[in-house]
Amino acid sequence: MRPARSSTWSDRFPAPLRYRGVREVEFGKELTELTQGEDAVVATVVGPDGVEEIVARYAVGADGGSSAVRKQLDIGFVGTTDESDRVLIVDASVSGLARNRWHMWPGLGGKLIGACPIPDSDMFQWMIRLTPDENPPQEIGAIIDRIHSHTRNRHIQLHEIHWKSVFRPNIRLAKHYGRGRVFLVGDAAHVHTPAGAQGLNTGMQDGYNLGWKLGQVLAGADPALLRTYEAERQPIAAGVLGLSTEKWGGIAKLDPSSMKRGKDEQQLSLTYYGGPLAPADGDSSDTSTLHVGDRAPDARLLSADGAETRLFTLFRGPHFTAIAYGPGAARDLELLHWPTTGARLKRLTVGPPEGFSDPENTLRSAYGLTGDTLLLIRPDGYIGHIATSDFLTTTQAAVRAMTPEARSRTMSQQVHASPGSGATE
């Protein structure tokens, strides 16, 4: 990456022309260069209309395992690629196969065929693991023969192939998740075998983790918040690489456990506990079931009018959520200052007289609550703070680490989103 010289930056990009605002997705363009200055990134792209320079405050490379962005940043992609381990991927219209489940046919020596139904279509995606010296079948007839010989099910018929490719399972992790004002997400930062089906979940959580932090920094939060992205997400990806590699090797040994899916594959118990926003020796309290940095569980609550509401429904969106359980926490939540810029805060109270109720104790049980507690939930659904005493002081300190330094407003200035529900924004 070649940094732009600060002395010429303003000359190249006068202030009115520097930022183009929101752009639509554009196809047929190739990134050829990235340069960075003190306050912006320039992406040089080549397309049908020639060379164009796109200027932004930050850039994110979500461009796959062969990421041009990662290469421009000269970030190492550490790991291995076994050129003899190949999988033929085929999207095809299929009959003779139930569409309500995945289908897997393991075989000796690591042979494997899998078929995943593609929603809202008559297609399946086929994964055919090739032997080291096998030429991938190309024509539909040869592919059908290959499937029949392995599955021994001649009721399966492929009628049209829509797409196919040969995939080589890489096992690689980026040494860093960004440099300066440019970041990597998804396969640009980590690639692994398909065992366990972890790739999409991992990439999506990368994007959400980075996305809310970028939004906060753009609104005025300390740019140091962006450094927590790599610190939180890279260890998760390292664990996924280990899990998928182990299962991929187990498939070759016909290990039944390699075909099963459990808590590790659901990614519901991932935690950022011990990271920069949830230090293990920090000031936050724990509950009997949760640490700061854990994923916030769901619960069923009743609003004042008796309507059932799920916590996950209340969490949905780019906002933070504060949950006050008990009257002491509720009083301090009213006094909590929140910046007027950046992500908004949704405030929930649980308990009489006007808050939500927890008649089945789903919140109390899932969150391990034994008394008044104030919880702050991040936009990505992870717990940003737990206070079981000194609610206002400790929560306000946690808020400062994740929000812009700006004018604040108190509860009395908030607008009620749902009168009588116990929720305000």
Side-chain angles (χ1 to χ4, degrees):
M1 179 181 65
R2 177 173 57 83
R5 293 176 295 170
S6 59
S7 60
T8 62
W9 188 266
S10 296
D11 295 336
R12 289 180 64 199
F13 304 105
L17 302 178
R18 279 187 194 166
Y19 302 110
R20 293 276 300 276
V22 177
R23 297 173 61 95
E24 296 181 355
V25 174
E26 300 178 35
F27 296 95
K29 294 191 174 181
E30 179 185 3
L31 175 73
T32 59
E33 187 178 17
L34 273 176
T35 59
Q36 299 192 52
E38 293 182 1
D39 60 356
V41 180
V42 179
T44 303
V45 298
V46 177
D49 298 326
V51 178
E52 180 184 7
E53 289 183 319
I54 302 170
V55 187
R57 286 180 61 184
Y58 294 94
V60 179
D63 50 342
S66 299
S67 173
V69 173
R70 189 186 64 245
K71 293 171 183 176
Q72 284 284 330
L73 296 176
D74 194 25
I75 291 177
F77 207 33
V78 180
T80 61
T81 301
D82 185 351
E83 294 293 340
S84 66
D85 192 358
R86 298 163 301 144
V87 180
L88 176 64
I89 308 293
V90 179
D91 289 354
S93 299
V94 175
S95 62
L97 202 58
R99 296 192 55 81
N100 62 349
R101 64 182 74 99
W102 277 58
H103 302 266
M104 303 291 286
W105 295 271
L108 295 172
K111 293 180 180 179
L112 172 72
I113 288 185
C116 170
I118 298 176
D120 303 318
S121 74
D122 64 349
M123 292 191 293
F124 279 77
Q125 182 167 95
W126 291 87
M127 294 146 280
I128 304 171
R129 193 175 188 181
L130 304 170
T131 59
D133 57 350
E134 180 179 3
N135 291 321
Q138 298 295 322
E139 302 301 325
I140 188 169
I143 294 173
I144 293 172
D145 289 344
R146 178 69 164 78
I147 292 171
H148 286 172
S149 66
H150 184 92
T151 66
R152 304 194 183 282
N153 183 352
R154 295 191 171 273
H155 294 292
I156 300 171
Q157 293 298 324
L158 277 61
H159 303 287
E160 182 182 359
I161 292 178
H162 300 269
W163 175 82
K164 67 177 184 294
S165 178
V166 175
F167 167 75
R168 291 169 175 80
N170 294 286
I171 304 168
R172 295 184 179 274
L173 181 64
K175 293 186 70 174
H176 298 288
Y177 272 31
R179 181 163 292 157
R181 292 179 167 269
V182 185
F183 300 89
L184 304 174
V185 301
D187 286 1
H190 45 77
V191 293
H192 50 83
T193 79
Q198 301 294 286
L200 179 60
N201 281 348
T202 307
M204 292 293 286
Q205 290 194 55
D206 287 348
Y208 214 145
N209 185 294
L210 176 61
W212 76 262
K213 294 171 182 177
L214 275 173
Q216 291 294 82
V217 171
L218 289 171
D222 188 338
L225 181 62
L226 295 174
R227 292 199 290 271
T228 70
Y229 166 60
E230 176 181 317
E232 289 189 336
R233 292 302 302 166
Q234 193 181 53
I236 301 295
V240 168
L241 264 64
L243 174 67
S244 64
T245 301
E246 180 181 358
K247 286 188 172 294
W248 192 245
I251 289 171
K253 302 173 184 176
L254 296 182
D255 178 2
S257 66
S258 298
M259 309 298 294
K260 294 180 179 179
R261 302 293 176 263
K263 287 175 55 180
D264 290 339
E265 289 77 22
Q266 292 171 354
Q267 296 201 11
L268 299 181
S269 58
L270 299 179
T271 183
Y272 302 134
Y273 178 65
L277 294 178
D281 57 351
D283 295 330
S284 293
S285 301
D286 299 330
T287 71
S288 62
T289 60
L290 295 172
H291 295 294
V292 175
D294 289 349
R295 182 175 181 270
D298 197 8
R300 296 187 303 275
L301 303 176
L302 293 183
S303 62
D305 61 5
E308 182 175 286
T309 302
R310 303 294 290 263
L311 267 187
F312 279 0
T313 301
L314 299 172
F315 292 163
R316 188 179 301 137
H319 57 268
F320 286 78
T321 305
I323 304 172
Y325 183 84
R331 283 192 297 271
D332 279 3
L333 178 56
E334 289 184 1
L335 301 174
L336 181 69
H337 290 277
W338 194 261
T340 57
T341 58
R344 299 179 69 182
L345 176 68
K346 178 176 289 187
R347 306 176 191 235
L348 311 177
T349 58
V350 181
E354 297 183 355
F356 287 96
S357 61
D358 183 28
E360 299 179 2
N361 287 324
T362 60
L363 174 72
R364 185 180 180 90
S365 175
Y367 283 75
L369 305 179
T370 57
D372 282 25
T373 306
L374 183 59
L375 302 113
L376 181 66
I377 312 302
R378 304 173 359 174
D380 56 0
Y382 286 80
I383 300 174
H385 186 69
I386 300 172
T388 56
S389 63
D390 198 9
F391 307 114
L392 187 59
T393 301
T394 62
T395 304
Q396 203 72 67
V399 168
R400 285 194 291 270
M402 296 184 283
T403 59
E405 293 184 14
R407 295 186 308 276
S408 300
R409 55 188 177 182
T410 64
M411 186 69 165
S412 62
Q413 297 170 304
Q414 304 289 330
V415 176
H416 282 264
S418 179
S421 69
T424 64
E425 294 186 353

